[in-house]
Each structure stands twice: as C-alpha cells, then as structure tokens.
Amino acid sequence: MITSEARLYALSQAESLAAEAVDHLSQTVRNAETGRVDPIALERAQHQAHGTAWLVSHVAGLTALHDWAQRLEETNSMGPVEAGILRIGFAEYLNRIIHGLPMGQTETVRPHELGTSLHAMGMATDPTLNALFADPDLPEIRMATALAMSEHGFSNPADDPDGEISMMRTQYQRFAEAEIAPFCHRWHLDDILIPDETVQKVADLGTFAITIPQAYDGLGLSKQAMVAVTEELSSFHLPTGSLATRPEIAGELISNSGTQDQKERFLPGIASGKIMTTAVFTEPDIGSDLAHLSTRAVRRGAVYQVSGAKTWITHGGRSDLMTLLVRTQAGSQDHSGVSMLLAEKPRGTPATPFPAPGMTGGEIRTLGYRGMKEYDIAFDRFDVPAHNLLGGEEGLGFRQLMATFESARIQTAA
Ligand SMILES: Cc1cc2nc3c(=O)[nH]c(=O)nc-3n(C[C@H](O)[C@H](O)[C@H](O)COP(=O)(O)OP(=O)(O)OC[C@H]3O[C@@H](n4cnc5c(N)ncnc54)[C@H](O)[C@@H]3O)c2cc1C
C-alpha cells in the first residue's frame, strides 16, 4: 500500500521537475527581447516541446491517480484491485519521468533533453521514491492485480452505489457472449460490415441513448455507464464497442452546442439508432492539426456548398448524418474560420456507399478494426442546408469539437 504521504511527496518531486522542464523549454523557444514564442525556435525544438508535453501529462496523470486514491480512502473503499493499480501506476509513471518517456515505438525523451538531468538523478537515488518505482514486489503485484481483475472485474461499489452500472455490465456481458462472440471472427475474416440486425440489437439495448438527455429520448446516464457498456461490447470485438463512438460524438456535439431545433430533429433519432452518424474531420494532409483543415463550405442562399477531401472516415457509408468539419471563412488560416455542419446524406451500402449528388468516395481496406469500414470521401459542391450549421453560428466548430473530444477519447480508451 502506498501511503498518502509517500504519494504527495512523489507528486511534489514530479511537479517541480516538470516545472523545470517547462522553464527550460520556455528559455529555448522564447525570443529574449519580446518574450514571445519564436515559431522557428519552436520548430527546431520539436522533440523537446513534444517531450515536455508528455512529461506534464504524466504529472497530471499521477495527480489524478492520487486524487482517485484519496477519494477511495475517504470512503474506505480501496480494494486489492485499486491498491494494485495505484502501486503499478505510480511505479510506471515515476520510472518514465525519471528514466525516459516513451512517446512512440521509436521515440523516447530522456531527462537531459528536457533539462531535468540533475533533478531526475536526485529522484533516482531518493530512498522514498525508490520504494515506489523500484519496488521488488511489482511483478507479483501485477500478476495478482491482473488475476483479481479477470475474476472480479474492475468495478468499485463506491462508484456505483445503486448497482445500476453493474447491472448494465452483466446485461451487456450476456449480450456480447450470445450475439457477438460466436460471429465476430467471421465478420473480421470476411471483412464485412457488422450485420444490420446486430447493430439494431445493440441500438435496442439503448447503447446509443446512454448519454443523450432524457428530454430527447435518451437515457441521460453518466460517462461511467457509457464506459462500462463500451468495455463489455468490446470484449470480443473492438469495432462493436466502437459502434457508439460516432453517435457519442454527434450526440454530445448537438446536446452541448446545437440549436433547439437541431436537438429536436436529431437527438431522438441518434438515441434510437434510426439515425446512424459518422464523424468527418480528417483530411489527407490534416489529422491532429484540425485547426488548419481546408475543406471549404461556401454559403449560397439557403445552403452551404461543401468542396474538399476527407479521409479515414469510419462508418462513412452506412450512415445518415455527418458531423462535418469545414472552413466557412474564406482566407482564414486557423480555428477561427472553422465550423461544424450537421450534414444529412442517404444511407449507403458497401456497393454504393455514397448515393448522393456532390459526394463520391472509396473504401480504405484495413488490417484490423473491421466492421464499419473506412472511407476516403470527396465533396464537390455538396449541399448542406444553412440551418444545419451547428449552433447557428460560424467559426465555433473547432471549439465545439474540442469540448466533445474529451469524452470521445474516454470512450475510445474504453
Ligand atoms: C482506423 C482509423 C479510423 C479513423 N476514423 C476516423 C473517423 O471516423 N473520422 C475522422 O475524421 N478521422 C478518422 N481517423 C483519422 C484519425 O483521427 C487521424 O489518423 C488522427 O487524427 C491522426 O492524424 P494523422 O493520421 O494525419 O497523423 P498526424 O496528425 O500527421 O500525426 C502523426 C504523428 O505525429 C505526431 N504529432 C502530430 N502533431 C504533433 C505536434 N504538433 N508535435 C509533435 N508531434 C505531433 C502524432 O502524435 C503522430 O504520432 C481514423 C484513423 C484510423 C487509422
């Protein structure tokens, strides 16, 4: 068991090391005279900047882990699984902060590259921290935690006082065993869409309604419920669990930012599965950096005409509504000219994925994550009614999407 004092001590060390790294980066990339970030210096220091972001994220992760442990301790509900996760989490994150952060399969950032060598060396030889990151019992703790999770699952009564989430888990476990496990390998080998009947059964369970407000025929449940359902649906076949990702994005975009009319027109259909949605953001040259996308939407009277190319669009064919990120402001270079359109389209089939004027596309074959199909889509003056601009105001699309990505990330992680 890691005591609260030991955790707080480790956190304070990690925080001050991260502050040093941020300071070091600031000195590297700021213009000494103006104090502003110099884009050329930042470009040169990409590895350091990226590594510093990773370091700060790890410290935020440790802080969240500590806060979670504290809540469990306060309610006397720290079980063996939680205690195991806590020890493994602190050990792993401290090791990375002190010895090097793996940012990708081929990219590690070391303390000397962040200007934190001395501090990291001090932490490496600190007996209190050593007891956390070099704990000789860790291999056994990992094994015991994994076994306990496989036997009892990972749900803490303190997080689910009325047992609702646990009941949903059981219901979805049974569903996955009966309706997904026997068939999903065949779907994968044949590289076909998850059958319509299975999608309908997933919808009938209320899967797409979970976080949609009750006022719009949703269940109005928590993100925690959504995570539990996603974990169970994914247990045999990742794409079945991921069926809800796009409705989750569309549902939250419209619930948070839609006009009253948009909420009434779209949310009940998304909740029931009658309206299948697809998220249309990525472009051939723009992935992470969506603020610089180039697909244009030009206002002509009562419609926006959309032209441009999108790629990697999951479930693009078998869908009725696109959350379509476009540039509405001519000449703008950044997020301020980006808007979100709720673009309706006829539902396609694998043979004819895009039976709509102004829209063509083709499948991108994948090795895995099969069952929804990914597409390239080209728009050529594709019409979207102007009243389908999310929230009725241009230039807010990037911000609306970033607010929503938070829960989409949680759902994808589940
Ligand atoms: C199976 C699959 C399904 C998908 N489904 C959809 C979908 O339904 N809808 C949709 O819109 N998109 C979809 N995508 C696209 C996905 O969202 C993008 O692949 C993702 O946003 C990353 O963009 P990119 O591939 O262009 O990589 P890039 O953005 O070019 O990133 C490449 C690498 O560079 C790193 N990097 C990026 N920016 C920086 C920076 N500033 N500093 C340092 N490092 C950086 C990244 O971490 C990454 O390792 C899908 C992709 C896949 C593979």
Side-chain angles (χ1 to χ4, degrees):
M1 183 65 203
I2 315 180
T3 63
S4 180
E5 291 73 36
R7 294 197 307 261
L8 283 170
Y9 176 69
L11 263 182
S12 70
Q13 288 290 320
E15 277 164 2
S16 65
L17 180 138
E20 261 177 49
V22 171
D23 200 39
H24 187 64
L25 176 65
S26 180
Q27 286 171 27
T28 312
V29 301
R30 278 188 201 284
N31 181 304
E33 280 166 27
T34 63
R36 293 171 67 93
V37 171
D38 173 355
I40 296 168
L42 182 59
E43 185 74 15
R44 269 201 302 266
Q46 270 208 28
H47 180 68
Q48 185 188 347
H50 194 191
T52 305
W54 271 79
L55 172 61
V56 171
S57 305
H58 270 66
V59 177
L62 276 181
T63 308
L65 202 57
H66 167 71
D67 291 346
W68 169 72
Q70 208 163 26
R71 284 198 302 278
L72 292 177
E73 282 163 355
E74 278 162 14
T75 50
N76 230 353
S77 46
M78 172 85 74
V81 170
E82 289 79 11
I85 289 172
L86 186 63
R87 282 178 78 167
I88 296 164
F90 260 78
E92 182 60 34
Y93 272 32
L94 282 173
N95 262 313
R96 293 178 183 194
I97 289 168
I98 295 169
H99 301 297
L101 285 145
M103 301 192 289
Q105 283 178 339
T106 54
E107 198 182 10
T108 301
V109 65
R110 315 266 180 214
H112 72 267
E113 294 167 312
L114 302 176
T116 57
S117 292
L118 277 180
H119 201 138
M121 275 196 278
M123 287 174 76
T125 51
D126 181 314
T128 309
L129 298 180
N130 248 267
L132 300 183
F133 73 77
D135 183 345
D137 296 335
L138 270 174
E140 283 76 30
I141 294 168
R142 279 184 212 279
M143 184 64 86
T145 307
L147 275 176
M149 282 176 79
S150 69
E151 277 167 25
H152 312 296
F154 172 51
S155 64
N156 192 299
D159 294 333
D160 184 23
D162 51 12
E164 191 176 23
I165 293 178
S166 161
M167 267 163 46
M168 287 177 81
R169 256 191 203 285
T170 310
Q171 182 191 20
Y172 274 86
Q173 258 163 15
R174 291 204 186 110
F175 175 81
E177 278 161 18
E179 302 287 347
I180 299 167
F183 313 111
C184 59
H185 194 52
R186 194 71 256 163
W187 302 336
H188 171 79
L189 292 177
D190 293 346
D191 195 3
I192 56 169
L193 287 170
I194 298 165
D196 286 343
E197 312 81 68
T198 310
V199 176
Q200 188 56 51
K201 286 177 188 169
V202 170
D204 291 345
L205 285 170
T207 311
F208 306 132
I210 288 178
T211 55
I212 289 183
Q214 288 178 339
Y216 303 100
D217 298 351
L219 297 173
L221 293 173
S222 63
K223 300 285 178 206
Q224 227 176 328
M226 180 263 288
V227 164
V229 163
T230 304
E231 282 178 351
E232 297 310 329
L233 279 179
S234 308
S235 55
F236 297 101
H237 188 230
L238 177 71
T240 307
S242 187
L243 275 173
T245 307
R246 281 137 286 279
E248 179 69 24
I249 292 173
E252 186 155 312
L253 274 172
I254 299 170
S255 301
N256 286 351
S257 309
T259 62
Q260 189 58 31
D261 166 64
Q262 289 165 353
K263 289 178 189 176
E264 284 166 11
R265 274 193 294 138
F266 296 120
L267 289 178
I270 294 172
S272 70
K274 197 159 164 255
I275 299 178
M276 294 298 288
T277 63
T278 182
V280 187
F281 312 140
T282 304
E283 300 184 353
D285 292 323
I286 298 287
S288 313
D289 189 16
L290 287 174
H292 290 104
L293 61 78
S294 60
T295 295
R296 282 282 287 125
V298 180
R299 178 82 188 252
R300 299 217 192 284
V303 296
Y304 283 100
Q305 284 194 326
V306 178
S307 299
K310 296 285 186 181
T311 190
W312 283 112
I313 306 308
T314 304
H315 232 169
R318 186 172 55 178
S319 49
D320 315 286
L321 178 69
M322 299 180 276
T323 46
L324 175 57
L325 200 64
V326 292
R327 185 166 297 282
T328 41
Q329 197 188 336
S332 71
Q333 304 284 338
D334 60 9
H335 66 87
S336 64
V338 170
S339 302
M340 184 70 75
L341 298 177
L342 304 171
E344 291 162 281
K345 67 180 260 299
R347 191 179 287 204
T349 62
T352 320
F354 305 113
M359 192 182 181
T360 51
E363 186 183 343
I364 305 170
R365 302 288 302 277
T366 59
L367 289 173
Y369 195 61
R370 293 174 169 179
M372 289 179 281
K373 295 191 179 287
E374 275 66 40
Y375 292 94
D376 283 317
I377 304 180
F379 294 101
D380 181 12
R381 285 161 292 160
F382 175 78
D383 282 349
V384 181
H387 64 263
N388 280 8
L389 169 68
L390 183 68
E393 200 180 327
E394 290 187 1
L396 299 180
F398 184 78
R399 262 171 281 175
Q400 290 163 337
L401 185 61
M402 288 307 120
T404 298
F405 265 174
E406 204 58 30
S407 56
R409 287 190 185 107
I410 295 170
Q411 205 261 350
T412 299

